[in-house]
């Protein structure tokens, strides 16, 4: 076992060791797996109902945080669609936004004339979304909407307010269901605070 795998207190459930907490403790489960499943199904139905039958819909997931949410969500959107991803980075290994958003991977899918649904894990300061929204607007999509699992409601001037929000989030640092702290905890089937 390397040092990283050994670090921190083991996080145990009935199924055994799920994660090591790197010195941090999981405080509480904020959104459980069943509540998430129910809400994601509803959001899929809402997105399905929003677009006309002929709309050319591109679901654009922000990696890495949205990977679990997106994969559950698209299975509840009952219409033709395409999926691509964007990689942006703003946090490094800390728990506060640096405000410096880097685009590390640009989608290969064309944007022009298409209905874009940007899928985020969480809207915090809004820096990531503001930066991405303006970059994407420049490529003449038919429309851009934001769908986020979690919304902290602390962003002051969001240029693209989310149309679909899974849950209003407390202003704590959250992990699980795709969200990480220094790459730990993404695989947890629920959202917890640390
Ligand atoms: P923003 O640019 O400050 O809105 O932050 C957006 C990104 O920061 C999200 O896509 C997340 O990857 C990350 N982030 C913000 N808050 C949290 C949190 O509470 N837990 C884990 N990641 C977070
Ligand atoms: Mg992250």
């Amino acid at each position: 076992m390397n040092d990283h795998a050994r670090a921190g207190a083991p996080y145990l459930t009935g199924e055994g060791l799920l994660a090591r907490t790197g010195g941090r403790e999981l405080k509480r489960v904020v959104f459980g797996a069943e509540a998430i499943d129910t809400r994601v199904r509803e959001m899929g139905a809402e997105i399905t109902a929003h677009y006309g039958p002929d709309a050319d819909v591109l679901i654009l997931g922000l990696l890495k945080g949205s990977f679990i949410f997106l994969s559950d969500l698209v299975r509840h959107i009952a219409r033709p669609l395409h999926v691509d991803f964007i990689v942006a980075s703003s946090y490094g290994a800390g728990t506060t936004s640096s405000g410096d958003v880097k685009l590390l991977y640009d989608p290969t899918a064309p944007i022009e004339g298409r209905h874009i649904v940007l899928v985020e894990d969480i809207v915090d300061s809004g820096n990531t979304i503001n930066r991405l929204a303006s970059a994407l607007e420049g490529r003449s999509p038919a429309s851009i909407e934001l769908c986020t699992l979690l919304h902290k409601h602390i962003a002051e001037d969001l240029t693209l307010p989310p149309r679909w929000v899974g849950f209003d989030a407390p202003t704590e640092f959250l992990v699980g269901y795709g969200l990480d702290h220094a790459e730990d905890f993404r695989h947890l089937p629920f959202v917890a605070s640390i």
Side-chain angles (χ1 to χ4, degrees):
M1 212 191 283
N2 64 25
D3 286 347
H4 175 76
R6 234 194 312 263
Y11 176 68
L12 291 156
T13 69
E15 293 163 61
L17 177 64
L18 256 187
R20 285 177 199 274
T21 60
R24 285 171 179 268
E25 299 304 319
L26 291 187
K27 272 195 242 155
R28 66 189 172 100
V29 174
V30 181
F31 303 107
E34 276 184 34
I36 294 172
D37 179 59
T38 301
R39 186 68 192 113
V40 172
R41 285 169 190 271
E42 288 170 359
M43 295 173 89
E46 288 166 18
I47 293 171
T48 305
H50 180 76
Y51 294 99
D54 298 326
D56 179 4
V57 174
L58 175 65
I59 308 292
L60 207 49
L62 256 99
L63 289 178
K64 299 172 203 171
S66 74
F67 83 109
I68 294 180
F69 174 44
L70 183 142
S71 65
D72 283 343
L73 180 70
V74 291
R75 284 178 279 183
H76 299 299
I77 303 176
R79 59 154 302 119
L81 56 79
H82 286 180
V83 174
D84 206 339
F85 295 95
I86 286 188
V87 184
S89 156
S90 69
Y91 266 75
T95 57
T96 49
S97 180
S98 64
D100 175 27
V101 177
K102 290 195 193 99
L103 213 59
L104 306 175
Y105 170 77
D106 219 1
T108 53
I111 303 295
E112 193 178 339
R114 308 183 82 182
H115 294 275
I116 311 299
V117 181
L118 209 49
V119 178
E120 251 285 38
D121 53 354
I122 185 164
V123 177
D124 183 11
S125 72
N127 286 330
T128 311
I129 282 307
N130 284 346
R131 160 75 205 279
L132 285 177
S134 63
L136 293 170
E137 305 270 6
R139 299 180 194 181
S140 311
S143 67
I144 305 185
E145 299 293 357
L146 175 60
C147 174
T148 186
L149 177 70
L150 302 167
H151 192 351
K152 283 192 184 167
H153 292 282
I154 56 171
E156 277 172 14
D157 4 71
L158 272 184
T159 55
L160 183 64
R163 178 173 291 274
W164 299 288
V165 176
F167 302 97
D168 294 335
T171 51
E172 295 169 77
F173 200 81
L174 302 175
V175 297
Y177 199 69
L179 290 91
D180 73 305
H181 173 260
E183 296 302 328
D184 283 323
F185 308 114
R186 287 196 199 276
H187 64 306
L188 300 180
F190 48 81
V191 172
S193 61
I194 59 173

